[in-house]
Amino acid sequence: MDPNFSGLTQRLAKANQSHLLQFWNELSPTERADLALDLQGMDFQEINGFFKNAMEMSTNSKQEKMDTRMEPVPMEVLGSVTRNRSSLKAWELTGLQCISQNKVAVLLLAGGQGTRLGVSYPKGMYDVGLPSHKTLFQIQAERILKLQQLTEQRHNIKCCIPWYIMTSGRTMEATEKFFSRHNFFGLDKNNIVFFQQGMLPAMDYNGKIIMESKGMLSMAPDGNGGLYRALGNQGILADMERRGIEFIHVYCVDNILVKVADPAFIGFCVQKEADCGAKVVEKTNPTEAVGVVCKVDGHYQVVEYSEITLETAQKRSLDGRLMFNAGNVANHFFSFSFLKDIVQTYEPKLQHHVAQKRIPHVDAKGQLIQPDKPNGIKMEKFVFDIFQFAKTFVVYEVLREDEFSPLKNADSQEGKDTPTTARHALMSLHHLWVLNAGGHFIDENGRRIPAIPRDGAAGSVTDDGNRNKSTSPSSSPCSCVGSCSEST
């Protein structure tokens, strides 16, 4: 293809991106065709606009702290597994009723690779070292399968929970092949829908698109907030409407403890007639680097730790808890009507966030450079950016040890969010389930290990006012008498 004949040269010049063709004469015919195809599909004026707005927002956010504009989550929109124990059963029954009517879908955000884990394949394919060697994908699939079975047993009616899986250009093919190779983990393949989030080019600080090689642009997924554009562009919203879906549970692939389509969470949101809900965990300490759900200028949003002062982070309520303690865990509820409004009306209003990165690139001589400090940005939207548009927003607080243990980093000394911490979190939870079910554990000599029976989740408050203790199975060598599953 001749870029002059196709008009590509003129388009690039107008967008101040002519450097993208600087190595054209050195490329093979195949490389030229691939590069031209990539460039033809890009709206350079839109990308330049994204860059300008993202940089302006980034500059403003660095200069201004949120402290004076913030309010904590009001009690009237808050549900809690510890403070509202008497309501949990009713919420769960409402959620199961919705599932039995085929009104509930789950949407998995799975666009990331396991780069920080030291692997190049999708993070959902990772094995954290459980005795069964089940991957994150398998654990979550079996939870959906089990929930369908439990709902069918209770309501005596066949039901299904469609599973929408958002991948990226780098994970789509591997993810689809993995599911196919494992026979979709027992689920009906017609109820598993794969789709891709968008990609955006990385840019230097002057707004120039970065070249990964002489014939290839440096591209990256557009963040988990790219979900909303993808839902419209790829027909996912239409598919949900065709199936009669009314409620959607959205979560990230890396949380090994996630309760997929959690009936209590869904039921709570439905009873509150919410169009948007966020599941949260209590912050462990003021300096924990986690975003908090709160109100800013009267609208709900997630405020990152870096956006407030230490003084505000340390503020406490009368009960002694942190005032801003609703830690965001990327676990959300949306009504279909709200999601439709977001896709059709509000998505274009969402601003990109800036992530400064060390981005490998070729210089003017075509030499590959591996920078030792940030040399450009990647632009992304966040899934929680749409909280501000909700008319009825609710927050559902759960226990971290029961529901949140993300997998982000490779194992290391005193590592955080690693395969080891994820594995121990799941095994500890199942250890406690066995005790609650009346089972017990024996050591390597066959002797029974004493255990205090629990009634409720780890950390929850019992009827006599005591707090249940967590007991980790990894603290002593033992075997389980009875049976349990990572997926139950």
Side-chain angles (χ1 to χ4, degrees):
M1 173 188 285
D2 183 338
N4 291 307
F5 180 77
S6 67
L8 189 55
T9 302
Q10 291 84 352
R11 286 181 58 220
L12 289 170
K14 186 177 180 181
N16 202 27
Q17 302 288 355
S18 296
H19 65 287
L20 299 178
L21 294 177
Q22 63 184 312
F23 301 111
W24 183 266
N25 293 332
E26 301 176 38
L27 303 179
S28 69
T30 300
E31 290 172 329
R32 288 183 181 184
D34 289 343
L35 177 59
L37 186 64
D38 288 342
L39 296 176
Q40 291 285 11
M42 288 188 172
D43 184 335
F44 296 107
Q45 297 302 327
E46 180 183 58
I47 292 169
N48 286 347
F50 288 164
F51 173 81
K52 180 176 179 290
N53 293 335
M55 292 301 286
E56 287 178 356
M57 189 176 80
S58 176
T59 300
N60 293 337
S61 65
K62 288 178 182 176
Q63 294 173 347
E64 179 189 12
K65 295 292 185 180
M66 295 283 193
D67 303 54
T68 59
R69 301 161 55 197
M70 291 171 57
E71 303 172 58
V73 173
M75 290 301 294
E76 59 264 26
V77 305
L78 180 67
S80 169
V81 297
T82 56
R83 287 177 274 191
N84 302 109
R85 292 184 67 192
S86 61
S87 300
L88 289 179
K89 194 64 180 176
W91 292 339
E92 181 182 290
L93 291 175
T94 296
L96 289 172
Q97 177 73 27
C98 293
I99 292 170
S100 74
Q101 296 168 343
N102 298 318
K103 293 180 179 180
V104 177
V106 291
L107 200 159
L108 168 60
L109 306 175
Q113 295 169 292
T115 308
R116 281 196 280 170
L117 294 167
V119 299
S120 59
Y121 52 77
K123 193 181 286 188
M125 292 166 53
Y126 196 85
D127 170 8
V128 301
L130 294 168
S132 65
H133 294 288
K134 291 179 181 178
T135 62
L136 295 174
F137 280 145
Q138 182 172 355
I139 292 169
Q140 292 163 25
E142 291 180 355
R143 286 174 183 163
I144 293 173
L145 189 62
K146 187 66 174 179
L147 184 54
Q148 288 179 168
Q149 293 169 349
L150 292 173
T151 305
E152 289 169 2
Q153 289 170 11
R154 172 173 288 275
H155 291 275
N156 197 29
I157 189 172
K158 195 77 174 172
C159 69
C160 79
I161 304 172
W163 196 11
Y164 297 91
I165 301 177
M166 187 176 80
T167 66
S168 66
R170 294 175 178 173
T171 63
M172 179 74 161
E173 184 178 0
T175 300
E176 286 187 306
K177 286 182 176 179
F178 188 74
F179 271 75
S180 179
R181 191 163 65 245
H182 290 86
N183 198 27
F184 300 91
F185 306 106
L187 293 168
D188 183 345
K189 68 178 181 180
N190 296 313
N191 294 325
I192 301 178
V193 181
F194 300 97
F195 65 105
Q196 285 188 50
Q197 68 186 108
M199 302 284 283
L200 283 174
M203 308 183 81
D204 68 19
Y205 295 119
N206 295 314
K208 299 283 190 180
I209 294 174
I210 292 174
M211 298 290 290
E212 183 177 294
S213 66
K214 290 182 179 181
M216 186 178 296
L217 310 183
S218 177
M219 302 290 292
D222 57 0
N224 54 28
L227 163 70
Y228 307 112
R229 177 175 280 206
L231 288 176
N233 289 347
Q234 299 193 39
I236 302 303
L237 209 61
D239 186 84
M240 290 180 176
E241 192 161 29
R242 178 181 63 80
R243 293 174 184 264
I245 299 301
E246 295 184 19
F247 312 111
I248 300 98
H249 177 219
V250 178
Y251 69 98
C252 286
V253 71
D254 61 4
N255 180 13
I256 199 169
L257 298 184
V258 65
K259 288 186 176 180
V260 186
D262 177 10
F265 179 40
I266 291 168
F268 166 71
C269 294
V270 170
Q271 285 194 15
K272 290 286 188 179
E273 299 183 341
D275 45 22
C276 181
K279 188 176 277 195
V280 301
V281 298
E282 188 171 358
K283 278 188 66 170
T284 56
N285 60 72
T287 59
E288 183 184 10
V290 62
V292 294
V293 179
C294 62
K295 294 180 88 170
V296 177
D297 298 333
H299 299 285
Y300 288 98
Q301 72 176 66
V302 174
V303 173
E304 300 296 342
Y305 170 69
S306 59
E307 295 179 312
I308 61 175
T309 63
L310 179 61
E311 181 182 5
T312 295
Q314 291 176 329
K315 285 184 178 179
R316 294 187 180 272
S317 303
L318 294 176
D319 61 4
R321 297 186 177 195
L322 293 174
M323 183 175 292
F324 297 100
N325 68 353
N328 176 54
V329 294
N331 193 318
H332 310 306
F333 165 95
F334 299 129
S335 70
F336 176 80
S337 58
F338 177 67
L339 205 54
K340 189 174 182 179
D341 284 344
I342 293 298
V343 172
Q344 296 181 348
T345 305
Y346 297 110
E347 194 282 331
K349 300 179 182 180
L350 299 179
Q351 296 293 319
H352 287 89
H353 303 266
V354 167
Q356 299 195 43
K357 300 285 186 178
R358 292 178 294 179
I359 305 168
H361 63 283
V362 291
D363 62 16
K365 296 180 180 179
Q367 299 296 313
L368 181 62
I369 305 297
Q370 297 282 356
D372 56 6
K373 61 181 180 181
N375 62 310
I377 69 163
K378 294 182 179 180
M379 297 178 289
E380 54 190 7
K381 294 180 179 180
F382 298 147
V383 67
F384 53 71
D385 287 339
I386 51 82
F387 288 179
Q388 60 185 305
F389 304 117
K391 293 181 177 64
T392 306
F393 183 86
V394 295
V395 175
Y396 187 71
E397 184 186 68
V398 298
L399 292 164
R400 184 185 301 249
E401 56 266 44
D402 283 358
E403 297 203 35
F404 186 59
S405 181
L407 175 64
K408 297 186 181 297
N409 308 305
D411 274 321
S412 62
Q413 196 92 19
E414 300 180 8
K416 181 183 178 184
D417 300 337
T418 66
T420 295
T421 60
R423 181 174 67 253
H424 285 179
L426 188 64
M427 294 181 71
S428 177
L429 180 64
H430 292 171
H431 176 261
L432 295 169
W433 286 355
V434 171
L435 298 183
N436 282 346
H440 62 272
F441 291 81
I442 56 175
D443 63 20
E444 66 271 26
N445 297 314
R447 292 176 299 200
R448 182 166 176 163
I449 298 174
I452 301 173
R454 298 171 74 247
D455 177 21
S460 63
V461 180
T462 58
D463 293 334
D464 60 5
N466 294 317
R467 184 168 291 275
N468 284 313
K469 297 179 180 179
S470 295
T471 308
S472 173
S474 58
S475 60
S476 62
C478 61
S479 300
C480 168
V481 176
S483 64
C484 57
S485 163
E486 287 107 348
S487 310
T488 305

